[in-house]
Structures are given as structure tokens and as C-alpha cells.
């Protein structure tokens, strides 16, 4: 007795991510199309065709295009939020913790295969499907606020934490606009040093 075929098979063409799952390939194709073509101009049919599967296969993994975008956006924030929570459990000085978080967060934004962060400004992000992404991003912003206040030696959280958070996310625009970026480690270090200066940490 033969086994049942996989949903949406056979594929047309080579796999995008030979070592990846079908779900990961769909996310990768969507990330490329959303960041290069635009979210509104991309349909689920286009994503399925880029992966080389039937549209039914895509809907087996994701019920809507919004669900795909939400997962992509959350992947740009959740690792850094988890890392910030881990840092809070370590006996680090506020300056060292802030430096570590900035370096890690910049690394996440630079290391993604596609520059999904440019989609943060989409008006759709204010709608219900993206509630969890917005909440997690605000939690990460709050972590920056707390660290910056601790570095400054004050219990008052002010706009400086938001400025540091914005500086970290500015690498999204740099990645989009500049023809070439410094090596990732160098850019991580530069942003971390600038964040510490902004937080008034003595060198």
C-alpha cells in the first residue's frame, strides 16, 4: 500500500531551502516578495508559485497572507526579546547588558536573509492580526528603556531609551538604502558604542 502524498506535491522546480521545511520555504519566499515587491502587491498565489507548490499547500500551513507576515515580523523581534530576558537574569552591569542587547539585536536585523524590518511601517500592522507582534516589539522597547535608565543611574524612564531603540532599528533603513554596509561585527560594535554614549555611560 503506497503512502499518501505530501500536501501540494509534486513541486515544480528546485527547492528554495533544501534543508528547510515547506513552512520555512513559504516564509522565505514571502519575505523575499514582501520586502522586494511590496506586501500589497504580493498575493498568496505568487508566494506558492515561487516556492513551487500549489496554493492549497500554502493554505495548509498559513490560512491568510496576514498570518505569514505576522510570523515574519515576530521573527525579527522575538529572539531579541528572549535574549533581553536572559540578560536580566545575569549579573551584568547595566552598560554591559545594554551593549550585549544592542549587538545581538543589530545582529538579528542584519542577519536575516531578507530585510523584513522595512515592513514595520505598513498601515496593516495596526490591525488585529499583528497584535502579538506589536506587543512583543513594545516589550523589547521597554527592555531598552529600563537598561538605558539603569545605565544613566536613574529610576526615571525617558525618551532616551526610545532613541536607543530607534538607533538599533535604523540599521533596517541602512540595509535598504546603502549600497554597502560595514561588516556586521563592525556595525554591531558601532551601534553599541553610540547607544552607550547616548545613555551617558562613561567610556
Amino acid at each position: 500500500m503506497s503512502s499518501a502524498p505530501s500536501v501540494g506535491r509534486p513541486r515544480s522546480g528546485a527547492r528554495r531551502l533544501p534543508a528547510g521545511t515547506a513552512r520555512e520555504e513559504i516564509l522565505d519566499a514571502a519575505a523575499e516578495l514582501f520586502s522586494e515587491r511590496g506586501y500589497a502587491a504580493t498575493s498568496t498565489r505568487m508566494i506558492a508559485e515561487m516556492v513551487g507548490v500549489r496554493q492549497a499547500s500554502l493554505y495548509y500551513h498559513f490560512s491568510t497572507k496576514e498570518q505569514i507576515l505576522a510570523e515574519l515580523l515576530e521573527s525579527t523581534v522575538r529572539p531579541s526579546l528572549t535574549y533581553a530576558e536572559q540578560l536580566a537574569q545575569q549579573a551584568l552591569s547595566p552598560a554591559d547588558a545594554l551593549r550585549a542587547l544592542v549587538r545581538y539585536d543589530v545582529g538579528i536585523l542584519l542577519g536575516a536573509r531578507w530585510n523584513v524590518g522595512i515592513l514595520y511601517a505598513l498601515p496593516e500592522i495596526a490591525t488585529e492580526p499583528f497584535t502579538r507582534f506589536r506587543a512583543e516589539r513594545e516589550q523589547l522597547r521597554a527592555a531598552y528603556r529600563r537598561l538605558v535608565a539603569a545605565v544613566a543611574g536613574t529610576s526615571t524612564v525617558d525618551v532616551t531609551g526610545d532613541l536607543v531603540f530607534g538607533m538599533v532599528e535604523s540599521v533596517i533603513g541602512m540595509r535598504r538604502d546603502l549600497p554597502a554596509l560595514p561588516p556586521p561585527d563592525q556595525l554591531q560594535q558601532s551601534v553599541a558604542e553610540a547607544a552607550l554614549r547616548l545613555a551617558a555611560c562613561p567610556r
Side-chain angles (χ1 to χ4, degrees):
M1 181 175 177
S2 61
S3 60
S6 300
V7 176
R9 296 297 192 271
R11 286 175 179 268
S12 58
R15 298 189 59 176
R16 292 177 61 86
L17 303 173
T21 64
R23 185 182 184 88
E24 289 167 341
E25 289 189 292
I26 291 168
L27 287 168
D28 182 70
E32 179 179 2
L33 288 167
F34 291 162
S35 59
E36 301 292 331
R37 182 185 179 93
Y39 177 70
T42 299
S43 67
T44 53
R45 180 178 297 277
M46 292 176 185
I47 298 169
E49 289 175 350
M50 179 169 276
V51 176
V53 298
R54 302 187 186 105
Q55 199 168 7
S57 179
L58 184 148
Y59 287 129
Y60 175 79
H61 296 283
F62 299 98
S63 58
T64 64
K65 187 171 74 166
E66 289 82 4
Q67 186 183 359
I68 298 173
L69 178 59
E71 185 157 334
L72 287 170
L73 293 175
E74 290 163 18
S75 73
T76 69
V77 171
R78 188 171 299 136
S80 297
L81 179 58
T82 299
Y83 187 67
E85 293 167 350
Q86 293 170 350
L87 287 173
Q89 306 302 315
Q90 301 177 27
L92 295 174
S93 69
D96 286 343
L98 179 60
R99 181 184 294 107
L101 179 57
V102 170
R103 287 182 60 91
Y104 184 89
D105 202 2
V106 170
I108 290 293
L109 295 174
L110 292 178
R113 187 177 184 191
W114 308 106
N115 193 15
V116 177
I118 61 174
L119 303 171
Y120 286 178
L122 286 172
E124 290 87 349
I125 303 306
T127 61
E128 190 278 333
F130 306 99
T131 299
R132 184 165 61 183
F133 163 69
R134 295 196 308 273
E136 291 180 344
R137 188 169 175 230
E138 286 308 305
Q139 290 173 43
L140 182 58
R141 186 195 303 272
Y144 275 103
R145 287 172 173 166
R146 290 191 297 270
L147 281 174
V148 168
V151 167
T154 176
S155 59
T156 303
V157 175
D158 62 16
V159 72
T160 308
D162 296 277
L163 292 174
V164 169
F165 184 61
M167 183 188 304
V168 170
E169 290 195 343
S170 72
V171 302
I172 295 168
M174 294 173 64
R175 184 176 174 183
R176 176 195 60 205
D177 298 334
L178 301 181
L181 290 177
D185 187 68
Q186 180 180 330
L187 189 52
Q188 287 171 281
Q189 183 64 23
S190 296
V191 177
E193 290 178 354
L196 289 169
R197 288 194 296 270
L198 190 57
C201 175
R203 299 284 301 276

